[in-house]
Amino acid sequence: MEAWIGLMSGTSMDGIDAVLVSFNGRHSHIISSHTEPYPDAVRHRLLSASQNQAAPDELGELDTLTGSLFAQAATEVIRKGEISPSSVRAIGSHGQTIRHQPSGASPFTIQIGNPALISEATGITTVADFRRRDMASGGQGAPLVPAFHKAFFSSDSEDRCLLNLGGIANITWLPADPTLPVVGFDTGPANALMDAWCLDQTGLPFDSEGHWAKEGNVDSDLLTDMLSDAYFSRKPPKSTGKERFNLDWVKTLAGRHPDTPAEDIQRTLLQLTVASVANQLPKQGGFRLYVCGGGTRNPVLMEELGKALPDTRLTLTSELGLDPQLVEPVAFAWLAKQALEGQPGNLPDVTGAKGPRILGAIYPA
């Protein structure tokens, strides 16, 4: 059996999701999974580096620290899978995004998590740095997961839409008609802003099951102010991250509404995710919406999403055979497979790249 490892740490920066998986055509088989939490001190440094201009020494140290943690996650998922490391063809590591600026005169993206260290520590070929080749070809470098969605989740009998509720929310539109293009883009913030506000106001890294948000009420004026951000009306291809939607963004807007209680701001941030997703979904009906990502663990968010989309059939990706928490790490295992097999990993219709490109830099064992 040939196995692959996918390593993913998103914009929530809470830890590294690792999966050990095998592929058979359009099917994936999960052998084991593991989450390696970031130590509090590392997480705080990562959050600071992503929101401020980190000094070169700080960025270099974090690159090494996160690389070691990514290697630990890979080692642990192999241990849990009870297989020999020699059975693993390669590791696909997304790395930890520190900055993503796909627009402007000199577009760039920065993911840390030293892949050379991962390869050295595990003895397994590691593929990383997936985004920059797409950007070099004029693309956004994100989202990249829609190519995996198309390969594994498309259907010729129903229109489908995949919604990932990570730190940033993104959607992939998969039409049943194969002559129509796949559409995918970041809709805006999801867990990242709720987590940041919760940490700032309560000291807790996230709002467990949305309990704090449930105590608050939506401030409609604040929500309108938030939704006026130009990103939400921009046409795809588009992608975003914490360089735009961060704690400073929340505090600036909240400052215009000084009488709004902290729990109401939390509830409004939750509603921002719901509204920005609902407003940007395809307008035609009759499709099924499959949801994945950490946001599926927030029952308040899921309930509000259902209310906002009463005519849409909403379910989890588990209905398609893949745990909602594992879709992204499996996708990066598949992207590593694509790279080693000389196959493209991007969708130009999604990212805006000039054409299909083989993604990732390969660090041999």
Side-chain angles (χ1 to χ4, degrees), residues 267-336:
R267 182 57 178 258
T268 304
L269 288 170
L270 184 147
Q271 204 64 33
L272 171 66
T273 297
V274 171
S276 57
V277 167
N279 292 346
Q280 296 179 80
L281 283 175
K283 301 308 177 188
Q284 62 265 50
F287 66 90
R288 180 165 294 189
L289 182 64
Y290 294 91
V291 191
C292 60
T296 59
R297 293 172 171 165
N298 186 328
V300 182
L301 177 59
M302 294 299 291
E303 180 181 356
E304 291 301 319
L305 191 62
K307 289 178 182 177
L309 302 167
D311 299 323
T312 300
R313 295 174 294 169
L314 188 153
T315 188
L316 301 179
T317 55
S318 50
E319 293 291 320
L320 298 175
L322 191 50
D323 186 311
Q325 309 309 318
L326 300 181
V327 174
E328 288 210 317
V330 170
F332 279 89
W334 178 78
L335 284 169

Side-chain angles (χ1 to χ4, degrees), residues 139-157:
Q140 292 273 310
L144 296 181
V145 177
F148 171 76
H149 291 163
K150 179 183 179 182
F152 285 80
F153 296 146
S154 58
S155 167
D156 59 6
S157 61

Side-chain angles (χ1 to χ4, degrees), residues 170-186:
N170 53 69
I171 62 171
T172 304
W173 171 247
L174 299 170
D177 184 347
T179 66
L180 296 177
V182 172
V183 177
F185 57 91
D186 292 342

